[in-house]
Amino acid sequence: MDNVIKYVTGFFTGLMTIMMAVIPVSILWYILTGGTVFNMDVVANLSALITSIGEGGFVGLIFLVIIASFFVKK
């Protein structure tokens, strides 16, 4: 069972690493070309996410702390 948990955790860690590399590249692509990547407007989606967190008040702050905890290496 320990091996399965390590395998799944490693998979999601690798997937998160890939996504964290794709996001800046897609933002740069949008800035340079004005086009979308994979039919997704990354800049508009990030703007909407930041706006919704800002409008969330205390709940938005808690959400931001939880999300930030995923990106802090322990």
Side-chain angles (χ1 to χ4, degrees):
M1 188 66 178
D2 233 10
N3 290 335
V4 172
I5 292 173
K6 287 180 184 178
Y7 180 75
V8 171
T9 304
F11 172 75
F12 283 115
T13 302
L15 186 63
M16 186 66 117
T17 303
I18 292 171
M19 293 305 293
M20 291 307 291
V22 168
I23 289 173
V25 171
S26 61
I27 291 172
L28 183 63
W29 179 264
Y30 181 80
I31 290 171
L32 293 177
T33 66
T36 60
V37 177
F38 305 122
N39 279 338
M40 293 185 298
D41 189 359
V42 178
V43 174
N45 289 339
L46 286 174
S47 298
L49 178 65
I50 291 170
T51 302
S52 66
I53 289 172
E55 291 175 354
F58 185 69
V59 175
L61 179 65
I62 297 298
F63 175 74
L64 189 60
V65 168
I66 291 171
I67 294 299
S69 71
F70 289 120
F71 298 108
V72 175
K73 294 188 180 193
K74 297 175 184 172

